[in-house]
Amino acid sequence: VLVQATVYSSLVQGARQFGAICVGSVLASATLALTGDTTGALALSVPVLMLLSNWPRFGDQGIYAATTALFTLTSGAVGMSGVGHRVGQAALGAVIGVAVNALILPPIHLRDVRENLAALARESGDVLRCVADDLRQGDWDAQSATGWLNAAARLERRLDALRSARRWSQESLRLTYGPLRALHRVPHMPLPPPDEDERLGRVTGHVTALTRALAVAVDDSRSPAPPEGRALRSYAELLGLIGDACETQADRLLDGSSDPRRDDEREERMLELHRQLQDGLREHAGQGAEHTAVLGTLLLQAENLWAEILPEHESQ
């Protein structure tokens, strides 16, 4: 029962369960000594222990207080030796559970972080390329925008999975990192730093903001209007290139490379498209505020994505 997902949680659960068993054994013995009757002792102790099992300090181990009292009273082992024997069994079980977890088969939750990071980067790139393809073909509408929003929502769920994996990985190394290194059980590939989680979390937020802006632009009941012509084609190509850069980031995270893979030709093309879009923004300014507002918002989100995916070019 005490072999939990991590050594730390096994130790915590062991302490809680041992405390609950001690309380149940002592209270069962005390009520039997007070009443002199097993039924009376059960009537007094079990309701109190059921209430006590909800005490947050016991966590989900509080139920062992009531079950221990029940077993103690019905088995007839209520004397000091019987109670001591049951407490000793609990202590022995806790020691075995923690020892198995710490020394024989310690669970290490590290790969989940790397896989979720890479998946988040890859799925972000997939969303951007999907948007780029629809914009390039010119057949996007409210239904397409709904699909983009749903894809962005899936990114949020992936981000939640990443944060959960990060918490598990940090807990799995608590109390065990030194011994596990001595036993060569800690993976040699270092875990990506938490900064990577924050960076890709910001990427997810920018992708979501971008899809929302496009959904507003395509809504006939709203005043903003989507960009058209050359500016739209340039923007679609820029999104596709940023999506490719996300794919490259995913590969880097999986193989553990610390240096970003450069693609000078792609980055030069991105700079050129960025300049074209800035020129297009000035052109749209003469066509009315609706087109200008949408193109400016979309360009800002693309710049934010670019800064997160290729941070060395943020100053450009």
Side-chain angles (χ1 to χ4, degrees), residues 208-271:
T208 301
L210 187 152
T211 55
R212 286 175 179 168
L214 286 169
V216 169
V218 79
D219 188 350
D220 294 334
S221 63
R222 308 290 287 271
S223 58
E228 299 173 348
R230 186 165 63 92
L232 184 61
R233 291 191 295 272
S234 297
Y235 189 74
E237 185 177 354
L238 179 60
L239 285 188
L241 292 173
I242 296 175
D244 293 340
C246 289
E247 183 75 21
T248 302
Q249 289 279 310
D251 294 337
R252 177 183 67 83
L253 288 165
L254 276 181
D255 63 25
S257 174
S258 58
D259 298 324
R261 298 174 182 175
R262 298 290 301 275
D263 188 331
D264 294 334
E265 182 177 350
R266 179 176 63 199
E267 293 168 16
E268 185 63 32
R269 179 57 180 163
M270 291 170 68
L271 285 170

Coordinates of all heavy atoms in Angstrom, one line a residue, residues 208-271:
T208 N -2.7 31.2 -28.9 CA -4.1 31.3 -28.6 C -4.6 32.7 -28.9 O -5.7 32.9 -29.5 CB -4.4 31.1 -27.1 OG1 -3.9 29.7 -26.8 CG2 -5.8 31.2 -26.7
A209 N -3.8 33.8 -28.6 CA -4.2 35.1 -28.9 C -4.3 35.4 -30.4 O -5.2 36.1 -30.9 CB -3.2 36.1 -28.3
L210 N -3.4 34.7 -31.2 CA -3.4 34.9 -32.6 C -4.7 34.3 -33.2 O -5.4 34.9 -34.1 CB -2.2 34.2 -33.2 CG -1.9 34.3 -34.7 CD1 -0.4 34.2 -34.9 CD2 -2.6 33.2 -35.5
T211 N -5.1 33.1 -32.8 CA -6.3 32.4 -33.3 C -7.5 33.2 -32.9 O -8.5 33.3 -33.7 CB -6.3 31.0 -32.8 OG1 -6.3 30.9 -31.4 CG2 -5.2 30.1 -33.4
R212 N -7.5 33.8 -31.7 CA -8.7 34.5 -31.3 C -8.8 35.8 -32.2 O -9.9 36.2 -32.6 CB -8.6 34.9 -29.9 CG -8.8 33.8 -28.9 CD -8.6 34.2 -27.5 NE -8.9 33.1 -26.5 CZ -8.5 33.0 -25.3 NH1 -7.9 34.1 -24.7 NH2 -8.8 32.0 -24.5
A213 N -7.7 36.4 -32.5 CA -7.7 37.6 -33.3 C -8.3 37.3 -34.7 O -9.1 38.1 -35.3 CB -6.3 38.3 -33.4
L214 N -7.9 36.2 -35.3 CA -8.4 35.8 -36.6 C -9.9 35.4 -36.5 O -10.6 35.7 -37.4 CB -7.6 34.6 -37.1 CG -6.2 34.9 -37.6 CD1 -5.4 33.6 -37.8 CD2 -6.2 35.7 -38.9
A215 N -10.3 34.8 -35.4 CA -11.7 34.5 -35.2 C -12.6 35.7 -35.2 O -13.7 35.8 -35.7 CB -11.9 33.6 -34.0
V216 N -12.1 36.7 -34.5 CA -12.8 38.0 -34.5 C -12.8 38.6 -35.8 O -13.9 39.2 -36.3 CB -12.1 39.0 -33.4 CG1 -12.7 40.4 -33.6 CG2 -12.3 38.4 -32.0
A217 N -11.7 38.6 -36.6 CA -11.7 39.2 -37.9 C -12.6 38.6 -38.9 O -13.1 39.3 -39.8 CB -10.2 39.1 -38.4
V218 N -12.9 37.3 -38.8 CA -13.7 36.6 -39.8 C -15.2 36.6 -39.4 O -16.1 36.2 -40.1 CB -13.2 35.1 -39.9 CG1 -13.7 34.3 -38.8 CG2 -13.7 34.6 -41.3
D219 N -15.5 37.2 -38.2 CA -16.9 37.3 -37.7 C -17.5 38.4 -38.3 O -17.1 39.6 -38.2 CB -16.9 37.4 -36.2 CG -18.3 37.3 -35.6 OD1 -19.2 37.3 -36.3 OD2 -18.4 37.2 -34.3
D220 N -18.6 38.2 -39.1 CA -19.3 39.2 -39.8 C -19.9 40.3 -38.9 O -20.2 41.4 -39.3 CB -20.4 38.6 -40.8 CG -19.8 37.8 -41.9 OD1 -18.6 38.0 -42.2 OD2 -20.4 36.9 -42.4
S221 N -20.2 39.9 -37.7 CA -20.9 40.8 -36.8 C -19.9 41.7 -36.1 O -20.4 42.6 -35.3 CB -21.7 40.0 -35.7 OG -20.8 39.2 -34.9
R222 N -18.6 41.5 -36.3 CA -17.6 42.4 -35.7 C -17.1 43.3 -36.7 O -17.0 43.1 -37.9 CB -16.5 41.5 -35.1 CG -17.0 40.4 -34.2 CD -17.6 40.9 -32.9 NE -16.5 41.4 -32.0 CZ -15.8 40.6 -31.1 NH1 -16.2 39.4 -31.0 NH2 -14.9 41.1 -30.4
S223 N -16.6 44.5 -36.2 CA -16.1 45.5 -37.2 C -14.7 45.2 -37.7 O -14.4 45.6 -38.9 CB -16.1 46.9 -36.4 OG -15.3 46.8 -35.3
P224 N -13.7 44.6 -37.0 CA -12.4 44.4 -37.6 C -12.5 43.5 -38.9 O -13.3 42.6 -38.9 CB -11.6 43.7 -36.5 CG -12.3 44.1 -35.2 CD -13.8 44.2 -35.6
A225 N -11.6 43.9 -39.8 CA -11.6 43.1 -41.1 C -10.3 42.5 -41.3 O -9.2 43.0 -40.9 CB -11.9 44.1 -42.3
P226 N -10.2 41.3 -41.8 CA -8.9 40.6 -42.0 C -8.1 41.2 -43.1 O -8.6 41.9 -44.0 CB -9.4 39.2 -42.4 CG -10.7 39.3 -43.1 CD -11.4 40.5 -42.3
P227 N -6.8 41.1 -43.0 CA -5.9 41.6 -44.1 C -6.2 40.9 -45.4 O -6.7 39.8 -45.4 CB -4.5 41.4 -43.6 CG -4.6 40.3 -42.6 CD -6.0 40.4 -42.0
E228 N -5.8 41.5 -46.5 CA -6.0 40.9 -47.8 C -4.8 41.0 -48.7 O -3.8 41.7 -48.3 CB -7.2 41.7 -48.5 CG -8.5 41.6 -47.7 CD -9.6 42.5 -48.4 OE1 -9.2 43.3 -49.3 OE2 -10.7 42.4 -48.0
G229 N -4.8 40.3 -49.8 CA -3.8 40.4 -50.8 C -2.4 39.9 -50.4 O -2.3 38.9 -49.7
R230 N -1.5 40.7 -50.8 CA -0.1 40.4 -50.5 C 0.3 40.3 -49.0 O 1.1 39.4 -48.6 CB 0.8 41.4 -51.2 CG 2.3 41.1 -51.2 CD 3.1 41.9 -52.2 NE 3.0 43.3 -51.8 CZ 3.8 44.0 -51.0 NH1 4.9 43.4 -50.5 NH2 3.7 45.3 -50.8
A231 N -0.3 41.2 -48.2 CA 0.0 41.2 -46.8 C -0.5 39.8 -46.2 O 0.2 39.2 -45.4 CB -0.7 42.3 -46.1
L232 N -1.7 39.3 -46.6 CA -2.2 38.1 -46.1 C -1.3 36.9 -46.5 O -1.0 36.0 -45.7 CB -3.6 37.8 -46.5 CG -4.3 36.6 -45.9 CD1 -4.4 36.7 -44.4 CD2 -5.7 36.4 -46.6
R233 N -0.8 36.9 -47.7 CA 0.1 35.8 -48.2 C 1.4 35.9 -47.5 O 1.9 34.8 -47.1 CB 0.3 35.9 -49.7 CG -1.0 35.6 -50.5 CD -0.7 35.5 -52.0 NE -0.2 36.7 -52.5 CZ -1.0 37.7 -53.1 NH1 -2.3 37.5 -53.1 NH2 -0.5 38.8 -53.6
S234 N 1.9 37.1 -47.3 CA 3.2 37.2 -46.5 C 3.0 36.7 -45.1 O 3.9 36.0 -44.5 CB 3.7 38.6 -46.6 OG 3.9 39.1 -47.9
Y235 N 1.9 37.1 -44.5 CA 1.7 36.7 -43.1 C 1.6 35.1 -43.0 O 2.1 34.5 -42.1 CB 0.5 37.3 -42.6 CG 0.3 37.1 -41.1 CD1 1.1 37.8 -40.2 CD2 -0.7 36.2 -40.6 CE1 0.9 37.6 -38.8 CE2 -0.8 36.0 -39.2 CZ 0.0 36.8 -38.3 OH -0.1 36.6 -37.0
A236 N 0.9 34.5 -43.9 CA 0.7 33.1 -43.9 C 2.1 32.4 -44.1 O 2.4 31.4 -43.4 CB -0.2 32.7 -45.1
E237 N 2.9 32.9 -44.9 CA 4.3 32.3 -45.1 C 5.1 32.5 -43.8 O 5.8 31.6 -43.4 CB 5.0 33.0 -46.3 CG 6.3 32.3 -46.6 CD 7.0 32.9 -47.8 OE1 6.4 33.7 -48.5 OE2 8.2 32.5 -48.1
L238 N 5.0 33.7 -43.2 CA 5.7 33.9 -42.0 C 5.3 32.9 -40.9 O 6.1 32.3 -40.2 CB 5.6 35.3 -41.5 CG 6.3 35.7 -40.2 CD1 7.8 35.5 -40.3 CD2 5.9 37.1 -39.8
L239 N 4.0 32.7 -40.7 CA 3.5 31.7 -39.8 C 4.0 30.3 -40.0 O 4.4 29.6 -39.1 CB 2.0 31.7 -39.7 CG 1.2 32.9 -39.1 CD1 -0.2 32.6 -39.0 CD2 1.8 33.2 -37.7
G240 N 4.0 30.0 -41.3 CA 4.5 28.6 -41.7 C 6.0 28.5 -41.3 O 6.4 27.4 -40.8
L241 N 6.8 29.5 -41.5 CA 8.2 29.4 -41.1 C 8.4 29.4 -39.6 O 9.3 28.6 -39.1 CB 9.0 30.6 -41.7 CG 9.1 30.6 -43.2 CD1 9.7 31.9 -43.7 CD2 9.9 29.4 -43.7
I242 N 7.6 30.1 -38.9 CA 7.6 30.0 -37.4 C 7.2 28.6 -36.9 O 7.8 28.1 -36.0 CB 6.8 31.1 -36.8 CG1 7.3 32.5 -37.1 CG2 6.7 30.9 -35.3 CD1 6.4 33.6 -36.6
G243 N 6.2 28.0 -37.6 CA 5.8 26.7 -37.3 C 6.9 25.7 -37.5 O 7.1 24.8 -36.7
D244 N 7.7 25.9 -38.6 CA 8.8 25.0 -38.9 C 9.9 25.2 -37.8 O 10.5 24.2 -37.4 CB 9.5 25.4 -40.2 CG 8.5 25.0 -41.4 OD1 7.6 24.2 -41.2 OD2 8.7 25.6 -42.5
A245 N 10.1 26.4 -37.3 CA 11.0 26.6 -36.2 C 10.6 25.9 -34.9 O 11.4 25.4 -34.2 CB 11.2 28.1 -36.0
C246 N 9.3 25.9 -34.7 CA 8.8 25.1 -33.5 C 9.1 23.7 -33.7 O 9.5 23.0 -32.7 CB 7.3 25.3 -33.4 SG 6.7 27.0 -32.9
E247 N 9.0 23.1 -34.9 CA 9.3 21.7 -35.1 C 10.8 21.5 -34.8 O 11.2 20.4 -34.2 CB 9.0 21.3 -36.5 CG 9.3 19.9 -36.9 CD 8.2 19.0 -36.4 OE1 7.1 19.4 -36.0 OE2 8.5 17.8 -36.2
T248 N 11.6 22.4 -35.2 CA 13.1 22.3 -34.9 C 13.3 22.3 -33.4 O 14.2 21.5 -32.9 CB 13.8 23.4 -35.6 OG1 13.6 23.4 -37.0 CG2 15.3 23.3 -35.4
Q249 N 12.6 23.2 -32.7 CA 12.7 23.2 -31.3 C 12.3 21.9 -30.6 O 13.0 21.4 -29.7 CB 11.9 24.3 -30.7 CG 12.4 25.7 -31.0 CD 13.4 26.2 -30.1 OE1 13.3 26.1 -28.9 NE2 14.5 26.7 -30.6
A250 N 11.3 21.3 -31.1 CA 10.9 20.0 -30.6 C 11.9 18.9 -30.8 O 12.2 18.2 -29.8 CB 9.6 19.6 -31.3
D251 N 12.6 18.9 -31.9 CA 13.6 17.9 -32.1 C 14.8 18.2 -31.2 O 15.4 17.3 -30.7 CB 14.1 18.0 -33.6 CG 13.1 17.5 -34.6 OD1 12.1 16.8 -34.1 OD2 13.1 17.9 -35.7
R252 N 15.1 19.5 -31.0 CA 16.2 19.8 -30.1 C 15.9 19.4 -28.6 O 16.8 18.8 -27.9 CB 16.5 21.3 -30.1 CG 17.5 21.8 -29.1 CD 17.7 23.3 -29.2 NE 16.5 24.0 -28.6 CZ 16.3 24.2 -27.3 NH1 17.2 23.8 -26.4 NH2 15.2 24.8 -26.9
L253 N 14.7 19.5 -28.2 CA 14.3 19.1 -26.9 C 14.4 17.6 -26.7 O 14.8 17.1 -25.6 CB 12.9 19.7 -26.5 CG 12.8 21.2 -26.3 CD1 11.4 21.6 -26.4 CD2 13.4 21.6 -25.0
L254 N 14.0 16.9 -27.7 CA 14.0 15.4 -27.6 C 15.4 14.9 -27.5 O 15.7 13.9 -26.8 CB 13.2 14.8 -28.7 CG 11.7 14.7 -28.6 CD1 11.1 14.0 -29.8 CD2 11.3 13.9 -27.3
D255 N 16.3 15.4 -28.3 CA 17.7 14.8 -28.3 C 18.6 15.5 -27.3 O 19.8 15.1 -27.2 CB 18.3 14.9 -29.7 CG 18.5 16.4 -30.2 OD1 18.6 17.3 -29.4 OD2 18.6 16.6 -31.4
G256 N 18.1 16.4 -26.5 CA 18.8 17.0 -25.4 C 19.9 18.0 -25.8 O 20.7 18.4 -25.0
S257 N 19.8 18.5 -27.0 CA 20.8 19.5 -27.5 C 20.5 20.8 -26.8 O 19.3 21.3 -26.7 CB 20.7 19.7 -29.0 OG 21.5 20.8 -29.4
S258 N 21.5 21.5 -26.3 CA 21.4 22.8 -25.6 C 21.5 24.0 -26.6 O 21.0 25.1 -26.2 CB 22.5 22.9 -24.5 OG 23.7 22.9 -25.1
D259 N 22.0 23.8 -27.7 CA 22.2 24.9 -28.7 C 21.1 24.8 -29.7 O 20.8 23.8 -30.3 CB 23.5 24.8 -29.4 CG 24.7 24.9 -28.5 OD1 24.6 25.7 -27.5 OD2 25.7 24.3 -28.7
P260 N 20.4 25.9 -30.0 CA 19.4 26.0 -31.0 C 20.0 25.7 -32.4 O 21.1 26.2 -32.7 CB 18.8 27.4 -30.9 CG 19.9 28.2 -30.3 CD 20.6 27.3 -29.4
R261 N 19.2 25.0 -33.2 CA 19.7 24.7 -34.6 C 19.4 25.9 -35.5 O 18.2 26.3 -35.6 CB 19.0 23.4 -35.1 CG 19.4 22.2 -34.2 CD 18.6 21.0 -34.7 NE 18.8 19.8 -33.9 CZ 18.2 18.6 -34.0 NH1 17.2 18.5 -34.9 NH2 18.5 17.6 -33.2
R262 N 20.4 26.4 -36.1 CA 20.2 27.6 -36.9 C 19.9 27.2 -38.3 O 20.4 26.2 -38.9 CB 21.5 28.4 -36.9 CG 21.9 28.9 -35.5 CD 20.9 30.0 -35.1 NE 20.9 31.1 -36.1 CZ 21.8 32.1 -36.0 NH1 22.7 32.2 -35.1 NH2 21.7 33.1 -36.9
D263 N 19.0 27.9 -38.9 CA 18.7 27.8 -40.3 C 18.7 29.2 -40.9 O 17.7 29.9 -40.9 CB 17.3 27.2 -40.5 CG 17.0 26.8 -42.0 OD1 17.5 27.5 -42.9 OD2 16.2 25.9 -42.2
D264 N 19.9 29.6 -41.4 CA 20.1 31.0 -41.8 C 19.2 31.4 -42.9 O 18.7 32.5 -43.0 CB 21.6 31.2 -42.1 CG 22.5 31.1 -40.9 OD1 22.0 31.3 -39.8 OD2 23.7 30.8 -41.1
E265 N 19.0 30.5 -43.9 CA 18.1 30.8 -45.0 C 16.7 31.1 -44.6 O 16.1 32.0 -45.0 CB 18.2 29.6 -46.0 CG 17.4 29.9 -47.3 CD 17.5 28.8 -48.3 OE1 18.4 27.9 -48.1 OE2 16.7 28.8 -49.2
R266 N 16.2 30.2 -43.7 CA 14.8 30.4 -43.2 C 14.7 31.7 -42.4 O 13.7 32.5 -42.6 CB 14.4 29.2 -42.3 CG 13.0 29.4 -41.7 CD 12.6 28.1 -40.9 NE 13.5 27.9 -39.8 CZ 13.6 26.8 -39.2 NH1 12.9 25.7 -39.6 NH2 14.4 26.7 -38.1
E267 N 15.7 32.0 -41.6 CA 15.6 33.2 -40.8 C 15.7 34.5 -41.6 O 15.1 35.5 -41.3 CB 16.7 33.1 -39.7 CG 16.4 32.0 -38.7 CD 17.6 31.8 -37.7 OE1 18.5 32.6 -37.7 OE2 17.6 30.7 -37.1
E268 N 16.5 34.4 -42.7 CA 16.6 35.6 -43.6 C 15.3 35.8 -44.3 O 14.9 37.0 -44.5 CB 17.8 35.3 -44.6 CG 18.0 36.5 -45.5 CD 18.5 37.7 -44.7 OE1 19.2 37.5 -43.7 OE2 18.2 38.8 -45.2
R269 N 14.6 34.7 -44.7 CA 13.3 34.9 -45.3 C 12.3 35.4 -44.3 O 11.5 36.2 -44.7 CB 12.9 33.5 -45.8 CG 11.5 33.5 -46.5 CD 11.4 34.5 -47.6 NE 10.1 34.4 -48.3 CZ 9.7 35.4 -49.1 NH1 10.4 36.5 -49.3 NH2 8.5 35.3 -49.6
M270 N 12.4 35.0 -43.1 CA 11.5 35.6 -42.0 C 11.7 37.1 -41.9 O 10.7 37.8 -41.7 CB 11.7 34.8 -40.7 CG 11.2 33.4 -40.7 SD 11.7 32.4 -39.3 CE 10.7 33.3 -38.0
L271 N 13.0 37.5 -41.9 CA 13.2 38.9 -41.8 C 12.7 39.7 -43.0 O 12.1 40.8 -42.8 CB 14.7 39.2 -41.7 CG 15.4 38.8 -40.4 CD1 16.9 38.9 -40.5 CD2 15.0 39.8 -39.3

